[in-house]
Each structure stands twice: as C-alpha cells, then as structure tokens.
Amino acid sequence: MSDDESEQSEGWWEPRRLPPRKCAGPLVLALLALACARGPTSPGPRVPPVGSVLKVLTYNVNFGLAGDRETLAAIRDAQPDLALLEETNAGWERPLRATLSAELPHMIFENRGGAGGLAVLSRFPLAEVEFLKPTGSGWFPACRVVVETPFGKVQALAVHLRPPVSDSGSVVGGYFTTGSVRAGEIEAFFAKLAPGFPTLVAGDFNEEADGEVTKFLLAKGMVSALPADQPTWRWSIGIGTIRRQLDHIMYDRRLEVVSGEVRVAGRSDHLPVVATFQLAKTWPADAR
C-alpha cells in the first residue's frame, strides 16, 4: 500500500462514500435541472477601513490538484491574513508550507483521506485550535480557531459541509435529502463556538445563499460578506459552464465588513473567496 493509499484509509469516516471527482459531471447536471430560484442574502454595509483589519480567505483547493502552482498563486496573490482551506492533504501541505510560510507562518493541518482535509494558515498567532469531528451524517470535520489579530481575538469556524450526494451515491436523491444533514452539521458545529469573541463562519457550505445553513446563521445574527449573485464554483460541460455560490464567509455584528469578493484565480473547481473585516465601532448587546 502506498503512502497516499494508507493516508486515505485513515479518518473518522469512510472516504469511500465520497464519489470521486469524475462524478461531478452528473452532479452538476442534476443541480442544473433541479435548482430553484435563489433568495437574496444581503451582505452587511461596506465601511471604509479605520485602523487594523483582518483579511480572510476561504478556498476549496481540490484534493486532486495537490501542489498546483496556479492554485498556490491564487492564495498568495490574495494576500490574506487568515486562510481557511478545504480538501487539503499531505500532498498539499508540503507546497503550502514551502510557498507561504513566510507570509502565513502559523499553520495547522488536519490531513484526511479523499476530500476530508482542512488547513488553517495565519499571519497572526493562533491562541486556540480545535478540530471538530464530523457530526450526524456529515462526512467532513470542522475546525475552530481563535486568532490574535491586531484588534484583538477573533474566532473562526472553518467548515466543509456534506455535498448534495446520498449515501448510495445518488446526486438526484442527495439534492433533495442532504439539506437537513447540512443543517444538522452547522447547528452542531456552531454550538462549539465560545461566546465573547467576534466570530466568523466560513468554508464550503455546499449550498447557495438560500440554503438551510445560511438561514440558520442569519437567525443567529450573522451576515454574509458576499452578495448572493457571485458564483464561487464552476464546472464546464458540453453546453457551457455551471456556476453556483457554494462557498461563503459569514460574520457576526462585532465585526464590520470592509470588502468582500470572489477572485477568479486558481485551477480548483472552486474559487477563492476573500473578505476584509475590522472591529465594529459599537457592539450590539445581542451579538455573540
């Protein structure tokens, strides 16, 4: 057994349940046929930066592209202070450390088989790090970190939620049945957050801005850093390219968003999502 095969046999779940990347073609065709109209999720008001800021990137780098130069350049060129990456593995860890350790010296990796890895790369020290096991019928772990930013501690929850694929591998059945799985995942992960910190939730939600995950976070007082009309995922098929907004950065009202964007860069099927935050001038009494 090779090192890569050995690595893929480890983990808290069975990576074999995750259909290989070649299944993405039928998946996007099913999503194209079944998708409903998207409901808007308005981002918070943009404000001019005053003092220190925190630039956050979330990016599903695609576990099958380990070490890809264009994808590495997409992270470097975004110049984040905090990078939350999904689908990392040992093949990704080595070039990420070699390429970005000067800019983002504080790095942690949870390398798991298939698409199950997560990584956090930070310009600033990490005061707390906690990997959270997959919950319910979810496939992937999450990670909670507390970052020592220039304006104080900020808590971030990095997630990679269940794809819309059933246990049997059906993309049609999974489209209709996995929304409740993702809702359960985010509820369980959110319960692990510590009160008292300005908080971000970011990553590959595997659903759009009108999905159950965003609805849950909105009900908790969080706001999207992106408009609902900015796709973060694309897949080319014979008749064109499918585009959807599957990746998100949400924040609570102890923070203000200075800017938010989707960068067209890298070779992953996902695009890097970047948002810049500063500490809110006033904190609502009911904010976490």
Side-chain angles (χ1 to χ4, degrees):
M1 180 180 292
S2 69
D3 291 343
D4 288 344
E5 288 172 335
S6 174
E7 181 189 40
Q8 291 184 8
S9 69
E10 301 174 356
W12 299 311
W13 63 94
E14 296 180 9
R16 293 186 301 276
R17 294 187 301 169
L18 179 67
R21 273 296 168 169
K22 65 183 180 181
C23 291
L27 171 61
V28 297
L29 289 173
L31 295 179
L32 177 63
L34 297 170
C36 299
R38 292 176 290 179
T41 300
S42 298
R46 269 49 178 176
V47 295
V50 178
S52 299
V53 298
L54 176 69
K55 191 174 188 180
V56 179
L57 172 146
T58 184
Y59 193 12
N60 182 325
V61 295
N62 191 328
F63 72 94
L65 293 176
D68 176 70
R69 292 183 179 180
E70 291 182 33
T71 304
L72 287 167
I75 301 170
R76 184 192 61 233
D77 294 347
Q79 299 182 317
D81 300 310
L82 177 66
L84 309 173
L85 308 179
E86 301 88 55
E87 297 199 18
T88 56
N89 51 30
W92 266 117
E93 180 176 357
R94 289 185 289 270
L96 283 166
R97 289 189 181 278
T99 304
L100 297 170
S101 59
E103 298 91 341
L104 302 168
H106 306 279
M107 296 186 177
I108 57 170
F109 290 82
E110 182 71 5
N111 294 327
R112 295 285 164 175
L118 287 174
V120 177
L121 287 58
S122 178
R123 188 179 309 276
F124 308 119
L126 301 175
E128 297 181 32
V129 176
E130 180 183 10
F131 284 101
L132 307 173
K133 293 183 178 182
T135 182
S137 297
W139 290 356
F140 308 125
C143 183
R144 184 188 76 88
V145 297
V146 175
V147 186
E148 298 272 12
T149 79
F151 54 77
K153 292 181 178 180
V154 172
Q155 179 175 227
L157 175 66
V159 300
H160 185 190
L161 302 179
R162 170 73 176 261
V165 181
S166 72
D167 288 339
S168 64
S170 169
V171 295
V172 177
Y175 181 84
F176 288 109
T177 60
T178 56
S180 61
V181 174
R182 288 186 291 276
E185 286 182 276
I186 196 62
E187 184 174 357
F189 291 144
F190 194 86
K192 300 293 186 179
L193 293 173
F197 297 115
T199 297
L200 302 163
V201 178
D204 182 356
F205 290 9
N206 263 312
E207 62 181 38
E208 297 208 51
D210 61 346
E212 296 303 315
V213 176
T214 302
K215 290 178 182 176
F216 173 85
L217 294 173
L218 289 171
K220 293 296 184 179
M222 304 198 84
V223 184
S224 174
L226 291 178
D229 60 351
Q230 292 192 12
T232 68
W233 174 83
R234 68 274 169 94
W235 194 271
S236 296
I237 59 176
I239 60 174
T241 301
I242 309 301
R243 293 180 173 86
R244 301 188 74 211
Q245 187 182 61
L246 303 182
D247 308 85
H248 306 268
I249 300 178
M250 306 281 290
Y251 64 98
D252 74 15
R253 289 172 291 166
R254 299 187 182 197
L255 297 168
E256 292 178 334
V257 65
V258 176
S259 63
E261 64 173 331
V262 180
R263 296 176 66 89
V264 180
R267 292 182 59 238
S268 174
D269 49 330
H270 292 256
L271 296 170
V273 177
V274 181
T276 301
F277 300 93
Q278 65 185 10
L279 197 63
K281 299 176 183 66
T282 59
W283 289 7
D286 59 342
R288 281 186 64 89

